[in-house]
Amino acid sequence: MSLAAHILLRNVAVTFPVLSFRDRSLRSRFVNAVTLRRTAAVPRIVSALSDVSLDIRAGDRLAIVGANGAGKTTLLRVLAGIYHPTAGSVDVHGRCLSLFDLQAGFDEEATGYENIMRRGLVIGARRAEIDARRAEIAEFTELGDRLDLPLRTYSSGMMLRLIFAVATAVEGEIVLLDEWIGVGDQQFRKKARQRLDEIVARAGILVLASHDVDLIKSTCNRAILLEAGRITAAGSTDEILSRYLGGAKA
């Protein structure tokens, strides 16, 4: 376990400007052009996260709990550096392994081998690092000669094998996970679960966004409850799950 891993968020907010469909329509643009209207459309501001502060240290297995739309995935993307806060600060010490948005960087016209390199670069690995692990990744997929063919010839199961193998080939001191990953047939799922368990065990920090109560209880030692982009409670997994599930039943 990496003892140097550390995440510190101070009063983080994330907002997105959203133009209405009317403002973006061709008809609206045409009318504005014909009538020489110069008034700019004022976007609606959506608050995805608000005043989020967190101190996550080595050894923490943090669950992010909340209803759909509460901001769980947005928070993971902030931790991964995909989204930058519009207010507050984010300090992340340690290499992040982001196990979500797993299909980003794949090209259906490129071969499996070419996509190993493409996706590896997307997740922040160095070219030499990917080259060194290329054979290992290929072996883990069990796809053999199919890796010489373009992705458009793959079944969904073959795609998932390749995606998972590349995503977990590079380990991180911080693992960010949006639900637990289950891929392929029963035999491959067993192998994938074993690899994921090993990666999490070696990581300094795990941040898991999930609705799976049993998984959270067996994996995490801390939890936060997100509601409408705000942390409304933080504590032990049992405490937060009890509050969340009690609120969901109310």
Side-chain angles (χ1 to χ4, degrees):
M1 177 188 296
S2 171
L3 298 178
H6 186 209
I7 298 172
L8 183 62
L9 275 65
R10 297 185 184 91
N11 309 113
V12 167
V14 175
T15 58
F16 300 108
V18 180
L19 287 173
S20 70
F21 174 77
R22 179 180 178 183
D23 293 328
R24 292 183 286 117
S25 69
L26 288 174
R27 181 177 181 276
S28 176
R29 294 178 185 178
F30 175 75
V31 170
N32 287 345
V34 170
T35 60
L36 300 180
R37 287 170 56 188
R38 297 184 180 276
T39 54
V42 178
R44 182 167 63 97
I45 302 298
V46 174
S47 177
L49 294 177
S50 181
D51 197 28
V52 173
S53 294
L54 275 173
D55 189 353
I56 313 172
R57 297 178 179 273
D60 284 342
R61 271 53 182 145
L62 178 71
I64 306 175
V65 178
N68 290 333
K72 299 187 298 297
T73 300
T74 299
L75 179 52
L76 284 178
R77 288 174 176 165
V78 168
L79 298 179
I82 298 171
Y83 290 165
H84 297 287
T86 49
S89 63
V90 179
D91 294 310
V92 177
H93 299 278
R95 183 178 191 175
C96 286
L97 174 62
S98 304
L99 296 178
F100 55 90
D101 295 338
L102 294 183
Q103 295 195 43
F106 281 89
D107 180 356
E108 287 194 349
E109 295 303 319
T111 68
Y113 279 119
E114 290 168 341
N115 275 290
I116 288 174
M117 179 60 72
R118 290 174 62 92
R119 173 61 188 180
L121 294 173
V122 166
I123 63 177
R126 297 179 297 275
R127 187 174 294 272
E129 189 177 9
I130 305 166
D131 283 334
R133 294 179 179 265
R134 185 172 181 265
E136 175 191 335
I137 295 169
E139 181 180 359
F140 190 87
T141 67
E142 301 176 357
L143 293 177
D145 294 340
R146 298 302 295 267
L147 289 169
D148 291 312
L149 300 177
L151 255 61
R152 58 181 167 76
T153 67
Y154 286 25
S155 67
S156 59
M158 292 167 62
M159 274 286 296
L160 287 172
R161 285 179 177 229
L162 180 62
I163 289 170
F164 179 85
V166 179
T168 57
V170 180
E171 295 190 15
E173 296 160 304
I174 300 167
V175 175
L176 308 175
L177 188 55
D178 195 352
E179 296 294 351
W180 206 262
I181 304 170
V183 294
D185 55 31
Q186 185 174 356
Q187 182 178 352
F188 191 82
R189 279 201 304 271
K190 183 178 179 180
K191 185 169 75 166
R193 177 60 189 255
Q194 181 179 350
R195 171 176 275 199
L196 207 50
D197 285 343
E198 292 170 352
I199 288 172
V200 169
R202 288 193 290 268
I205 291 172
L206 168 69
V207 183
L208 168 67
S210 179
H211 295 284
D212 189 328
V213 173
D214 292 334
L215 175 63
I216 291 171
K217 286 183 176 181
S218 65
T219 307
C220 300
N221 55 19
R222 292 179 56 193
I224 59 171
L225 176 60
L226 274 184
E227 295 179 349
R230 291 180 176 270
I231 297 178
T232 57
S236 69
T237 53
D238 287 341
E239 176 189 354
I240 299 306
L241 286 172
S242 176
R243 175 165 175 166
Y244 172 59
L245 295 174
K249 293 175 183 177

